[in-house]
Amino acid sequence: PNMSGREATARFISSVLWPELTRHVDLHQRLDDLMTTPANLATAFQPIVDFDTGSAVGFEALSRFPENYGLPPRKWFDIALRLGRSLSLEVAALERALASATDIPADCFIAVNLSPLTAMDPAVQEILLEQTRALVVEITEHEPFPDTLADALKPLRDSGIRLAIDDAGAGFASFTQMLRIRPDIIKIDGSFIRELGSDPMSRTIVSAIVQIGHQRGLEVVAEWVDDIRVRERVRRRPVRLIAGPSGSRRPTARPRR
């Protein structure tokens, strides 16, 4: 699909807002290397597990970049945004994730992360609509939600693709904005989950998200449930699905049976 128009506009805006960054040739070269060399853009699959049964119900696709890039993937996605190249990098990561999902069991969904503007792009939606397996599109909260987001995502919803809000509580979107797009799943940001035992504000935020989710009939996922103490704190709340830490290890898909 042709995405050059939006990318060209984004690069121009970037050159005006951050001229010192856009002149950094090394950053552009590293992004080029990510997108043109398949071995540099890997995908790890993190299981999303049913707390009661212990079985994986889905897998979230997480991008992994070479160690010599020196920064975690999220930072590189931020850099790509500032350079006006986020669409290209997100599409490359999406296509790599979908191509790498062949060993994921057919009864499990694949969750892919997209920024609001990328999820709204017709060419990106075309890629998603061509898939034959169950998908969840996780909309990241690290950019503001456009007012037209809900309408733009309707083709995905109509096709059976479910929507999730990723890192709920940590980004731009208010509860009102989150609910306006009618998500199927809300994923509570892991930083709040880890602080359940020590931070009253985190407990308040988690309780509010869980309550809103259940009132609206949404699935609620607790992220970064990575040790016994955190599991026990989450177990006291009506949260059915859990996910492990997104940055500290490289989970792999369980083999197809």
Side-chain angles (χ1 to χ4, degrees), residues 198-252:
S198 59
D199 179 29
M201 182 59 71
S202 291
R203 288 196 292 271
T204 299
I205 291 172
V206 170
S207 295
I209 294 174
V210 170
Q211 183 176 2
I212 290 172
H214 282 282
Q215 286 176 347
R216 296 297 183 102
L218 312 179
E219 287 280 13
V220 178
V221 180
E223 297 188 293
W224 294 8
V225 182
D226 54 353
D227 63 39
I228 295 296
R229 288 175 300 175
V230 175
R231 287 178 67 91
E232 288 306 311
R233 291 174 190 137
V234 172
R235 189 180 289 278
R236 298 178 199 139
R237 292 161 172 82
V239 175
R240 187 175 74 89
L241 302 178
I242 60 173
S246 60
S248 61
R249 64 187 180 196
R250 297 185 55 159
T252 56

Side-chain angles (χ1 to χ4, degrees), residues 33 36 44 63 65 84 104 107 109 137-138 142 162 211 249:
D33 290 344
T36 59
S63 294
F65 301 162
I104 301 296
D107 59 345
F109 64 78
V137 172
E138 297 190 10
H142 304 288
R162 291 188 292 166
Q211 183 176 2
R249 64 187 180 196

Side-chain angles (χ1 to χ4, degrees), residues 8-72:
T9 302
R11 286 203 190 195
F12 172 74
I13 294 173
S14 172
S15 68
V16 173
L17 295 178
W18 300 287
E20 74 290 345
L21 189 62
T22 56
R23 288 195 294 266
H24 203 310
V25 177
D26 180 60
L27 294 178
H28 280 288
Q29 183 59 55
R30 288 191 171 218
L31 289 173
D32 287 340
D33 290 344
L34 276 177
M35 290 182 274
T36 59
T37 306
N40 286 341
L41 184 54
T43 302
F45 290 98
Q46 176 176 262
I48 299 172
V49 177
D50 186 305
F51 220 148
D52 294 329
T53 66
S55 299
V57 298
F59 288 81
E60 180 184 1
L62 301 169
S63 294
R64 292 291 181 261
F65 301 162
E67 290 186 7
N68 62 7
Y69 270 59
L71 295 171

Side-chain angles (χ1 to χ4, degrees), residues 122-184:
V124 174
Q125 293 193 4
E126 183 180 328
I127 295 172
L128 295 168
L129 294 172
E130 289 174 349
Q131 305 305 307
T132 58
R133 67 175 304 146
L135 291 180
V136 171
V137 172
E138 297 190 10
I139 307 296
T140 57
E141 264 208 275
H142 304 288
E143 297 175 39
F145 285 10
D147 292 338
T148 57
L149 180 59
D151 289 339
L153 296 179
K154 191 173 184 300
L156 302 182
R157 301 297 300 271
D158 290 345
S159 74
I161 294 174
R162 291 188 292 166
L163 300 180
I165 300 296
D166 193 27
D167 299 333
F172 284 93
S174 67
F175 288 139
T176 301
Q177 287 177 307
M178 286 193 292
L179 295 174
R180 190 177 297 147
I181 72 166
R182 297 180 293 110
D184 303 283

